[in-house]
Amino acid sequence: MNIKKTGRYAAVGVAAAAAAVQLSAGTATAATGSVSLWVGGGPDLLSCKATAQKCQVIAYVYDMSTPITITADGKTVASGLPVASQGTVEPGQLATLWIPQTAGPTTITAQQGSQSQSFTIQIIDNNGPEAFAKRTQAYLQSLACKTGSSTISAGCGARVDPL
């Protein structure tokens, strides 16, 4: 009698496994999730803030099989399949350098399939008075930190964002 019960359970198990294999084979899709956009960083203190300054843009994604497109005000900056992303939650990324050419508000967008993320940054004229003032402010701050001036050195040791 034990043999019949074991055989019956084995038959049910095989049928369930076969159904699961058929279901998973017919519905297998790539990992999906949202797109995370990061914009920033560069060698100049006005990177991503002024025209003619390099700006790093990275889109992080979960889907490794669908191309990503990064745009600035609707113009393609980069497009391609994601590559492996080390040290992040998302397995893939598309990274590029973008150099803003015009001052004013600029909308950066990363899109993969129907998923996207956008945000707007304000770009100033690299040769304008505002950029000159920001660079002068950063220079004076660095001098104050070196000399220990008590009036301006309060921010020493901490990164000061010029904008």
Side-chain angles (χ1 to χ4, degrees), residues 120-148:
T120 301
I121 57 176
Q122 182 65 37
I123 303 296
I124 62 174
D125 182 357
N126 191 47
N127 297 317
E130 188 176 0
F132 178 77
K134 298 297 180 187
R135 286 190 176 95
T136 302
Q137 176 188 7
Y139 175 72
L140 292 175
Q141 180 72 38
S142 71
L143 284 179
C145 290
K146 288 179 185 175
T147 63

mmCIF file of all heavy atoms in Angstrom, residues 120-148:
data_model
loop_
_atom_site.group_PDB
_atom_site.id
_atom_site.type_symbol
_atom_site.label_atom_id
_atom_site.label_comp_id
_atom_site.label_asym_id
_atom_site.label_seq_id
_atom_site.Cartn_x
_atom_site.Cartn_y
_atom_site.Cartn_z
ATOM 1 N N THR A 120 15.239 68.621 -14.102
ATOM 2 C CA THR A 120 15.724 69.829 -14.753
ATOM 3 C C THR A 120 16.837 70.444 -13.918
ATOM 4 O O THR A 120 16.713 70.561 -12.697
ATOM 5 C CB THR A 120 14.573 70.836 -14.943
ATOM 6 O OG1 THR A 120 13.559 70.201 -15.728
ATOM 7 C CG2 THR A 120 15.046 72.087 -15.652
ATOM 8 N N ILE A 121 17.919 70.833 -14.606
ATOM 9 C CA ILE A 121 19.029 71.530 -13.950
ATOM 10 C C ILE A 121 19.186 72.895 -14.591
ATOM 11 O O ILE A 121 18.830 73.100 -15.752
ATOM 12 C CB ILE A 121 20.349 70.721 -14.037
ATOM 13 C CG1 ILE A 121 20.727 70.417 -15.491
ATOM 14 C CG2 ILE A 121 20.242 69.439 -13.245
ATOM 15 C CD1 ILE A 121 22.068 69.700 -15.637
ATOM 16 N N GLN A 122 19.700 73.841 -13.848
ATOM 17 C CA GLN A 122 19.925 75.196 -14.344
ATOM 18 C C GLN A 122 21.382 75.322 -14.778
ATOM 19 O O GLN A 122 22.287 75.107 -13.979
ATOM 20 C CB GLN A 122 19.604 76.233 -13.260
ATOM 21 C CG GLN A 122 19.760 77.662 -13.705
ATOM 22 C CD GLN A 122 18.757 78.055 -14.790
ATOM 23 O OE1 GLN A 122 17.612 77.625 -14.782
ATOM 24 N NE2 GLN A 122 19.193 78.862 -15.726
ATOM 25 N N ILE A 123 21.602 75.665 -16.033
ATOM 26 C CA ILE A 123 22.948 75.830 -16.586
ATOM 27 C C ILE A 123 23.219 77.326 -16.727
ATOM 28 O O ILE A 123 22.387 78.061 -17.265
ATOM 29 C CB ILE A 123 23.077 75.132 -17.964
ATOM 30 C CG1 ILE A 123 22.736 73.635 -17.860
ATOM 31 C CG2 ILE A 123 24.459 75.345 -18.560
ATOM 32 C CD1 ILE A 123 23.676 72.825 -16.999
ATOM 33 N N ILE A 124 24.388 77.768 -16.252
ATOM 34 C CA ILE A 124 24.779 79.177 -16.402
ATOM 35 C C ILE A 124 25.834 79.293 -17.493
ATOM 36 O O ILE A 124 26.455 78.303 -17.883
ATOM 37 C CB ILE A 124 25.302 79.774 -15.072
ATOM 38 C CG1 ILE A 124 26.562 79.032 -14.590
ATOM 39 C CG2 ILE A 124 24.214 79.751 -14.011
ATOM 40 C CD1 ILE A 124 27.228 79.653 -13.369
ATOM 41 N N ASP A 125 26.051 80.517 -17.966
ATOM 42 C CA ASP A 125 27.075 80.779 -18.982
ATOM 43 C C ASP A 125 28.452 80.682 -18.331
ATOM 44 O O ASP A 125 28.753 81.394 -17.369
ATOM 45 C CB ASP A 125 26.867 82.165 -19.593
ATOM 46 C CG ASP A 125 27.864 82.492 -20.692
ATOM 47 O OD1 ASP A 125 28.777 81.677 -20.963
ATOM 48 O OD2 ASP A 125 27.725 83.571 -21.282
ATOM 49 N N ASN A 126 29.290 79.779 -18.815
ATOM 50 C CA ASN A 126 30.620 79.554 -18.256
ATOM 51 C C ASN A 126 31.490 80.806 -18.269
ATOM 52 O O ASN A 126 32.372 80.966 -17.440
ATOM 53 C CB ASN A 126 31.314 78.425 -19.020
ATOM 54 C CG ASN A 126 32.579 77.964 -18.332
ATOM 55 O OD1 ASN A 126 32.592 77.744 -17.131
ATOM 56 N ND2 ASN A 126 33.638 77.803 -19.098
ATOM 57 N N ASN A 127 31.260 81.720 -19.228
ATOM 58 C CA ASN A 127 32.054 82.948 -19.334
ATOM 59 C C ASN A 127 31.326 84.161 -18.754
ATOM 60 O O ASN A 127 31.806 85.272 -18.878
ATOM 61 C CB ASN A 127 32.421 83.211 -20.797
ATOM 62 C CG ASN A 127 33.305 82.103 -21.339
ATOM 63 O OD1 ASN A 127 34.232 81.652 -20.671
ATOM 64 N ND2 ASN A 127 32.994 81.635 -22.538
ATOM 65 N N GLY A 128 30.189 83.942 -18.136
ATOM 66 C CA GLY A 128 29.387 85.044 -17.609
ATOM 67 C C GLY A 128 29.805 85.465 -16.208
ATOM 68 O O GLY A 128 30.617 84.808 -15.537
ATOM 69 N N PRO A 129 29.230 86.564 -15.740
ATOM 70 C CA PRO A 129 29.572 87.097 -14.413
ATOM 71 C C PRO A 129 29.203 86.144 -13.264
ATOM 72 O O PRO A 129 29.901 86.097 -12.255
ATOM 73 C CB PRO A 129 28.791 88.404 -14.321
ATOM 74 C CG PRO A 129 27.782 88.366 -15.412
ATOM 75 C CD PRO A 129 28.279 87.413 -16.444
ATOM 76 N N GLU A 130 28.134 85.382 -13.415
ATOM 77 C CA GLU A 130 27.739 84.460 -12.343
ATOM 78 C C GLU A 130 28.786 83.362 -12.160
ATOM 79 O O GLU A 130 29.149 83.021 -11.027
ATOM 80 C CB GLU A 130 26.367 83.858 -12.650
ATOM 81 C CG GLU A 130 25.800 83.054 -11.505
ATOM 82 C CD GLU A 130 24.403 82.533 -11.772
ATOM 83 O OE1 GLU A 130 23.834 82.788 -12.857
ATOM 84 O OE2 GLU A 130 23.876 81.844 -10.891
ATOM 85 N N ALA A 131 29.282 82.806 -13.265
ATOM 86 C CA ALA A 131 30.326 81.785 -13.185
ATOM 87 C C ALA A 131 31.606 82.370 -12.597
ATOM 88 O O ALA A 131 32.278 81.728 -11.779
ATOM 89 C CB ALA A 131 30.591 81.183 -14.558
ATOM 90 N N PHE A 132 31.945 83.595 -12.991
ATOM 91 C CA PHE A 132 33.128 84.270 -12.442
ATOM 92 C C PHE A 132 32.980 84.442 -10.927
ATOM 93 O O PHE A 132 33.911 84.183 -10.168
ATOM 94 C CB PHE A 132 33.337 85.628 -13.128
ATOM 95 C CG PHE A 132 34.496 86.398 -12.573
ATOM 96 C CD1 PHE A 132 35.788 86.070 -12.910
ATOM 97 C CD2 PHE A 132 34.278 87.450 -11.686
ATOM 98 C CE1 PHE A 132 36.870 86.771 -12.381
ATOM 99 C CE2 PHE A 132 35.340 88.160 -11.153
ATOM 100 C CZ PHE A 132 36.638 87.822 -11.494
ATOM 101 N N ALA A 133 31.805 84.856 -10.498
ATOM 102 C CA ALA A 133 31.556 85.060 -9.069
ATOM 103 C C ALA A 133 31.658 83.745 -8.298
ATOM 104 O O ALA A 133 32.223 83.698 -7.199
ATOM 105 C CB ALA A 133 30.191 85.699 -8.857
ATOM 106 N N LYS A 134 31.136 82.675 -8.855
ATOM 107 C CA LYS A 134 31.196 81.371 -8.189
ATOM 108 C C LYS A 134 32.634 80.885 -8.050
ATOM 109 O O LYS A 134 33.023 80.350 -7.021
ATOM 110 C CB LYS A 134 30.363 80.325 -8.944
ATOM 111 C CG LYS A 134 28.890 80.640 -9.020
ATOM 112 C CD LYS A 134 28.257 80.660 -7.650
ATOM 113 C CE LYS A 134 26.780 80.982 -7.754
ATOM 114 N NZ LYS A 134 26.162 81.179 -6.452
ATOM 115 N N ARG A 135 33.419 81.079 -9.095
ATOM 116 C CA ARG A 135 34.829 80.668 -9.032
ATOM 117 C C ARG A 135 35.603 81.527 -8.034
ATOM 118 O O ARG A 135 36.445 81.021 -7.288
ATOM 119 C CB ARG A 135 35.454 80.732 -10.418
ATOM 120 C CG ARG A 135 35.002 79.615 -11.326
ATOM 121 C CD ARG A 135 35.827 79.564 -12.611
ATOM 122 N NE ARG A 135 35.437 78.426 -13.406
ATOM 123 C CZ ARG A 135 34.537 78.475 -14.396
ATOM 124 N NH1 ARG A 135 33.965 79.615 -14.723
ATOM 125 N NH2 ARG A 135 34.232 77.380 -15.063
ATOM 126 N N THR A 136 35.327 82.821 -8.018
ATOM 127 C CA THR A 136 35.990 83.725 -7.073
ATOM 128 C C THR A 136 35.631 83.333 -5.641
ATOM 129 O O THR A 136 36.494 83.275 -4.763
ATOM 130 C CB THR A 136 35.597 85.188 -7.344
ATOM 131 O OG1 THR A 136 35.956 85.515 -8.690
ATOM 132 C CG2 THR A 136 36.287 86.134 -6.392
ATOM 133 N N GLN A 137 34.358 83.047 -5.394
ATOM 134 C CA GLN A 137 33.911 82.632 -4.074
ATOM 135 C C GLN A 137 34.627 81.354 -3.632
ATOM 136 O O GLN A 137 35.092 81.254 -2.499
ATOM 137 C CB GLN A 137 32.403 82.405 -4.077
ATOM 138 C CG GLN A 137 31.852 81.869 -2.778
ATOM 139 C CD GLN A 137 30.386 81.465 -2.891
ATOM 140 O OE1 GLN A 137 29.806 81.454 -3.971
ATOM 141 N NE2 GLN A 137 29.792 81.114 -1.774
ATOM 142 N N ALA A 138 34.742 80.388 -4.510
ATOM 143 C CA ALA A 138 35.417 79.133 -4.183
ATOM 144 C C ALA A 138 36.899 79.359 -3.913
ATOM 145 O O ALA A 138 37.473 78.758 -2.994
ATOM 146 C CB ALA A 138 35.233 78.127 -5.312
ATOM 147 N N TYR A 139 37.524 80.248 -4.698
ATOM 148 C CA TYR A 139 38.943 80.554 -4.502
ATOM 149 C C TYR A 139 39.167 81.224 -3.144
ATOM 150 O O TYR A 139 40.079 80.850 -2.393
ATOM 151 C CB TYR A 139 39.448 81.442 -5.633
ATOM 152 C CG TYR A 139 40.872 81.895 -5.449
ATOM 153 C CD1 TYR A 139 41.922 80.997 -5.610
ATOM 154 C CD2 TYR A 139 41.156 83.212 -5.088
ATOM 155 C CE1 TYR A 139 43.243 81.406 -5.421
ATOM 156 C CE2 TYR A 139 42.467 83.629 -4.901
ATOM 157 C CZ TYR A 139 43.497 82.721 -5.057
ATOM 158 O OH TYR A 139 44.784 83.122 -4.864
ATOM 159 N N LEU A 140 38.343 82.210 -2.815
ATOM 160 C CA LEU A 140 38.476 82.901 -1.533
ATOM 161 C C LEU A 140 38.230 81.945 -0.367
ATOM 162 O O LEU A 140 38.912 82.021 0.655
ATOM 163 C CB LEU A 140 37.519 84.093 -1.460
ATOM 164 C CG LEU A 140 37.849 85.255 -2.415
ATOM 165 C CD1 LEU A 140 36.769 86.320 -2.345
ATOM 166 C CD2 LEU A 140 39.226 85.835 -2.108
ATOM 167 N N GLN A 141 37.283 81.042 -0.524
ATOM 168 C CA GLN A 141 37.014 80.041 0.509
ATOM 169 C C GLN A 141 38.233 79.153 0.723
ATOM 170 O O GLN A 141 38.599 78.861 1.853
ATOM 171 C CB GLN A 141 35.805 79.192 0.125
ATOM 172 C CG GLN A 141 35.454 78.122 1.129
ATOM 173 C CD GLN A 141 34.851 78.661 2.400
ATOM 174 O OE1 GLN A 141 34.081 79.613 2.345
ATOM 175 N NE2 GLN A 141 35.196 78.085 3.526
ATOM 176 N N SER A 142 38.877 78.730 -0.389
ATOM 177 C CA SER A 142 40.056 77.869 -0.248
ATOM 178 C C SER A 142 41.205 78.611 0.422
ATOM 179 O O SER A 142 41.935 78.037 1.227
ATOM 180 C CB SER A 142 40.484 77.306 -1.603
ATOM 181 O OG SER A 142 41.050 78.307 -2.417
ATOM 182 N N LEU A 143 41.372 79.913 0.113
ATOM 183 C CA LEU A 143 42.410 80.710 0.784
ATOM 184 C C LEU A 143 42.116 80.844 2.274
ATOM 185 O O LEU A 143 43.026 80.749 3.102
ATOM 186 C CB LEU A 143 42.501 82.106 0.163
ATOM 187 C CG LEU A 143 43.189 82.218 -1.198
ATOM 188 C CD1 LEU A 143 43.180 83.668 -1.669
ATOM 189 C CD2 LEU A 143 44.610 81.692 -1.134
ATOM 190 N N ALA A 144 40.862 81.083 2.606
ATOM 191 C CA ALA A 144 40.488 81.211 4.012
ATOM 192 C C ALA A 144 40.761 79.921 4.767
ATOM 193 O O ALA A 144 41.202 79.939 5.916
ATOM 194 C CB ALA A 144 39.022 81.604 4.127
ATOM 195 N N CYS A 145 40.525 78.815 4.142
ATOM 196 C CA CYS A 145 40.774 77.526 4.789
ATOM 197 C C CYS A 145 42.262 77.296 5.006
ATOM 198 O O CYS A 145 42.664 76.762 6.030
ATOM 199 C CB CYS A 145 40.179 76.388 3.963
ATOM 200 S SG CYS A 145 38.373 76.360 3.980
ATOM 201 N N LYS A 146 43.078 77.724 4.045
ATOM 202 C CA LYS A 146 44.528 77.554 4.178
ATOM 203 C C LYS A 146 45.098 78.457 5.263
ATOM 204 O O LYS A 146 46.000 78.073 5.995
ATOM 205 C CB LYS A 146 45.223 77.849 2.848
ATOM 206 C CG LYS A 146 45.007 76.778 1.813
ATOM 207 C CD LYS A 146 45.704 77.142 0.514
ATOM 208 C CE LYS A 146 45.384 76.142 -0.565
ATOM 209 N NZ LYS A 146 45.948 76.522 -1.860
ATOM 210 N N THR A 147 44.576 79.691 5.359
ATOM 211 C CA THR A 147 45.128 80.658 6.313
ATOM 212 C C THR A 147 44.456 80.584 7.674
ATOM 213 O O THR A 147 44.966 81.149 8.637
ATOM 214 C CB THR A 147 44.993 82.100 5.777
ATOM 215 O OG1 THR A 147 43.608 82.408 5.626
ATOM 216 C CG2 THR A 147 45.722 82.265 4.465
ATOM 217 N N GLY A 148 43.294 79.934 7.752
ATOM 218 C CA GLY A 148 42.588 79.826 9.030
ATOM 219 C C GLY A 148 41.836 81.085 9.396
ATOM 220 O O GLY A 148 41.571 81.333 10.568
#
